[in-house]
Amino acid sequence: MRTTKWFKYMWRRTEKETSLFTKNYRITVIPLVFVLYMFSHYLLNPYDTDWYRMDDQDLYESIILLLLYCTIITEISLWLSRVLNKWIPWDKSAGKRAIVQVFLLIFLIFVVYFVINIGYLLILPSGPQDVIDLEAKIDLWQSLIISINTGIFISAIHTGYFLLTNWRKSMLDAAELRVKAEKFERIASQAELESLKMQLDPHFLFNNFSTLSELVVEDQKIAVKFIEHLSLVYRYMLSNIRKNVVSLKDELKFVDSYFYLIQERMGNKVKLEVDVALEIEQHYYVAPISLQLLVENAVKHNRVSKENPLIIRISIQDKYVVVSNNIQELVVALPSSRVGLSNIVERYRLLSHERVDIIKTGTEFIVKLPLLENQVEK
């Protein structure tokens, strides 16, 4: 329980950090872009006289204009990221996304850069004889290169953040799967133990061997058939108890063999009605020995007689296999630990997002088990 709470806490923390990153993206990236832009300019041409002869007013104007330009670049990167999240999500194709994002961001910065510079040249008062000198051309070219590097830097931030978040999420998922596997192993072991207890239950052995001894005397053919079903029950338990899931078809065959043993003992006092289509049997899976445990519980905790037989029904409702029986409570209720039922609930909690429904009315006891897809076994 503590481990589950820790995972929930870490997941909420990751989601919160993602939200904060998106919220504080501009506050973080714009100053970084501004510093990178200025630093790159200085490295390319540290001897430019503008670095030393600029007065305070020109300095403030340059800083404001550059911050505005860096803000535009950052907004473009955010917009592009949102668009690409719909068309090429990171989790679908990270390599393709990184390449497309870099090239598109460089292209958009290239377009914005030239639009801004053309607009600046149109606004700047100049005569027809004025010509842009070589130094200005070099400065424009350096600014373009720096703008492109800035675009690559912003794309690196996006890619790095995605990789970091994805790595943390994969680590959390892997750790959660390990914990889940350990828990499932414990529950499976508990189910195996309960199955072995049932196999070695003296009442179970005594009842079946007593029935068998009577059948040997009365009808040897039926006795042979009884032995066959008894061996099928034991073989199924031994071969499938450690599996996560088994096909619904195999489980129903097992229930049929198990119920045969019960019917030979009790006759028409107990009836089993199965209404499951063949395509459902073949396509869906269930937890092993789950249906048998429900049939066993029904027989164990209810009175049976020819006048009032116990009727157990197995049917399909939506995406559930439903096991129900009419309630005929014993005069003296047998003590029940409900371990078998709770074990089924726990196993299904790990196997499916759907939960096991247990319904008790005045006349009927119903258990709904989610039908599992083939992928569960894989």
Side-chain angles (χ1 to χ4, degrees):
M1 185 62 70
R2 289 181 180 177
T3 307
T4 306
K5 288 181 178 178
W6 180 80
F7 279 120
K8 288 180 179 178
Y9 165 76
M10 289 301 295
W11 181 254
R12 284 196 300 267
R13 181 178 171 184
T14 303
E15 287 183 333
K16 186 177 179 182
E17 287 176 357
T18 304
S19 177
L20 285 173
F21 176 83
T22 306
K23 184 178 179 181
N24 300 328
Y25 182 82
R26 294 173 180 85
I27 299 173
T28 307
V29 173
I30 292 173
L32 284 174
V33 171
F34 175 77
V35 171
L36 176 67
Y37 197 93
M38 295 295 291
F39 184 66
S40 299
H41 252 298
Y42 184 79
L43 285 179
L44 282 174
N45 194 2
Y47 303 107
D48 189 347
T49 54
D50 288 339
W51 291 108
Y52 310 104
R53 70 186 181 188
M54 193 178 295
D55 57 25
D56 291 343
Q57 184 176 353
D58 290 338
L59 178 63
Y60 293 143
E61 288 178 359
S62 297
I63 289 174
I64 291 171
L65 289 173
L66 279 176
L67 278 172
L68 180 61
Y69 179 61
C70 292
T71 302
I72 292 171
I73 292 176
T74 304
E75 290 299 326
I76 289 172
S77 74
L78 278 173
W79 173 81
L80 181 62
S81 181
R82 285 194 296 268
V83 171
L84 291 179
N85 281 341
K86 296 178 182 178
W87 294 97
I88 314 174
W90 283 108
D91 55 350
K92 298 293 182 183
S93 179
K96 183 179 178 182
R97 166 61 183 271
I99 294 169
V100 171
Q101 181 161 302
V102 168
F103 280 100
L104 282 180
L105 190 54
I106 290 172
F107 173 75
L108 290 173
I109 290 173
F110 184 86
V111 172
V112 169
Y113 178 80
F114 271 94
V115 168
I116 290 173
N117 279 279
I118 290 171
Y120 178 74
L121 290 174
L122 290 175
I123 295 170
L124 187 69
S126 61
Q129 72 281 3
D130 290 340
V131 179
I132 300 175
D133 58 16
L134 181 60
E135 186 178 350
K137 289 180 181 178
I138 292 173
D139 188 60
L140 286 171
W141 183 250
Q142 288 175 349
S143 297
L144 176 59
I145 293 173
I146 293 168
S147 297
I148 292 173
N149 288 337
T150 303
I152 295 172
F153 170 73
I154 293 174
S155 289
I157 291 176
H158 282 286
T159 308
Y161 180 73
F162 162 75
L163 292 174
L164 180 62
T165 305
N166 195 54
W167 175 77
R168 290 188 62 187
K169 184 178 180 298
S170 63
M171 291 295 289
L172 286 172
D173 290 345
E176 187 174 8
L177 282 173
R178 283 197 297 271
V179 172
K180 219 172 185 180
E182 290 172 3
K183 189 170 185 180
F184 195 88
E185 182 73 19
R186 178 179 57 80
I187 293 170
S189 298
Q190 186 183 14
E192 183 180 19
L193 180 61
E194 289 301 314
S195 175
L196 290 172
K197 284 181 179 178
M198 191 198 76
Q199 293 174 46
L200 299 175
D201 187 343
H203 293 288
F204 181 78
L205 293 172
F206 176 77
N207 289 333
N208 283 294
F209 282 126
S210 296
T211 304
L212 179 60
S213 63
E214 292 173 6
L215 289 174
V216 169
V217 175
E218 296 174 3
D219 193 327
Q220 292 185 359
K221 289 184 178 180
I222 296 178
V224 170
K225 190 175 180 182
F226 186 88
I227 293 171
E228 289 176 356
H229 282 277
L230 186 60
S231 66
L232 285 173
V233 168
Y234 277 91
R235 191 182 305 123
Y236 183 90
M237 287 180 175
L238 292 173
S239 61
N240 292 297
I241 188 61
R242 298 296 295 177
K243 292 182 179 179
N244 291 342
V245 294
V246 293
S247 70
L248 180 58
K249 183 179 180 180
D250 289 343
E251 183 75 4
L252 288 173
K253 283 183 180 178
F254 168 57
V255 169
D256 183 64
S257 295
Y258 177 77
F259 188 76
Y260 179 86
L261 303 180
I262 293 174
Q263 202 163 39
E264 283 299 325
R265 238 177 43 237
M266 299 183 173
N268 293 327
K269 297 176 184 178
V270 182
K271 296 181 179 180
L272 177 66
E273 298 176 0
V274 180
D275 183 17
V276 180
L278 183 61
E279 59 269 20
I280 299 293
E281 287 184 12
Q282 294 174 340
H283 182 71
Y284 290 101
Y285 286 65
V286 292
I289 312 183
S290 54
L291 298 183
Q292 179 270 331
L293 281 173
L294 296 176
V295 171
E296 179 195 356
N297 283 344
V299 174
K300 182 178 179 181
H301 297 291
N302 288 278
R303 288 182 290 107
V304 295
S305 64
K306 290 183 179 179
E307 295 76 17
N308 298 298
L310 175 67
I311 301 173
I312 304 169
R313 298 181 179 89
I314 301 176
S315 60
I316 302 296
Q317 290 182 13
D318 298 326
K319 291 289 185 177
Y320 291 85
V321 55
V322 181
V323 181
S324 62
N325 64 271
N326 55 321
I327 295 177
Q328 299 180 154
E329 292 183 354
L330 297 168
V331 177
V332 179
L334 293 175
S336 174
S337 62
R338 294 179 66 87
V339 170
L341 196 57
S342 63
N343 182 274
I344 293 173
V345 172
E346 279 295 303
R347 280 193 287 164
Y348 269 92
R349 189 178 65 80
L350 294 172
L351 289 170
S352 172
H353 295 297
E354 304 294 333
R355 64 187 182 86
V356 174
D357 287 337
I358 301 172
I359 305 166
K360 185 176 182 181
T361 66
T363 58
E364 198 171 21
F365 186 78
I366 304 166
V367 179
K368 295 182 177 182
L369 304 179
L371 289 169
L372 306 173
E373 297 284 354
N374 301 16
Q375 286 83 352
V376 174
E377 177 68 7
K378 294 176 184 177

